[in-house]
């Protein structure tokens, strides 16, 4: 499992290191911006943790499954592909989605 993230054939080690190094500042900035939407710091922290967990794990999988279903050879569906593209563009504002998608496609 971990060999796929550091495989030298596709130079995945550099992209994995870059993803992990850039995720920290992006997540800190995202958390700072989201904290202004809440009055209580503990509620903001809870929301950010749960939101990042759900979006970081489910977001890339949803987009991948939509693209997989849309690329059906017998019955291609361009509407599902457009839905996947739109969903990806909206979720790119969330750093955990970008990390999950980057690790999925590395």
């Amino acid at each position: 499992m971990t060999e796929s993230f550091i495989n030298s054939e596709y130079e995945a080690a550099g992209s994995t290191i870059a993803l992990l190094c850039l995720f920290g500042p992006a997540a800190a900035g995202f958390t700072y911006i989201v904290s202004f939407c809440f009055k209580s710091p503990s509620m903001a922290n809870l929301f950010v943790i749960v939101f990042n967990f759900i979006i970081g794990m489910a977001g890339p999988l949803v987009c991948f499954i939509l693209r997989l279903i849309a690329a059906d050879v017998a019955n291609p569906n361009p509407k599902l592909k457009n839905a996947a593209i739109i969903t990806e563009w909206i979720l790119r504002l969330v750093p955990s989605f970008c990390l999950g998608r980057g690790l999925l496609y590395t």
Side-chain angles (χ1 to χ4, degrees):
M1 171 86 178
T2 57
E3 291 178 11
S4 62
F5 295 127
I6 58 172
N7 190 0
S8 63
E9 182 178 343
Y10 301 109
E11 298 181 10
S15 62
T16 302
I17 291 170
L19 274 170
L20 294 175
C21 288
L22 294 173
F23 176 71
F30 179 76
T31 304
Y32 179 72
I33 291 171
V34 170
S35 69
F36 288 112
C37 298
F38 296 90
K39 291 182 181 178
S40 169
S42 61
M43 284 303 296
N45 191 20
L46 178 68
F47 175 79
V48 167
I49 290 171
V50 171
F51 182 75
N52 281 332
F53 181 73
I54 291 171
I55 295 298
M57 187 187 331
L61 287 176
V62 166
C63 294
F64 179 72
I65 291 170
L66 282 174
R67 285 181 180 268
L68 200 64
I69 295 171
D72 185 19
V73 176
N75 188 15
N77 192 346
K79 289 184 180 181
L80 286 178
K81 185 175 180 181
N82 289 338
I85 292 170
I86 291 170
T87 304
E88 285 175 356
W89 275 99
I90 292 171
L91 291 179
R92 282 185 183 170
L93 297 173
V94 182
S96 60
F97 172 77
C98 296
L99 177 69
R101 187 172 186 273
L103 291 176
L104 180 66
Y105 289 109
T106 297

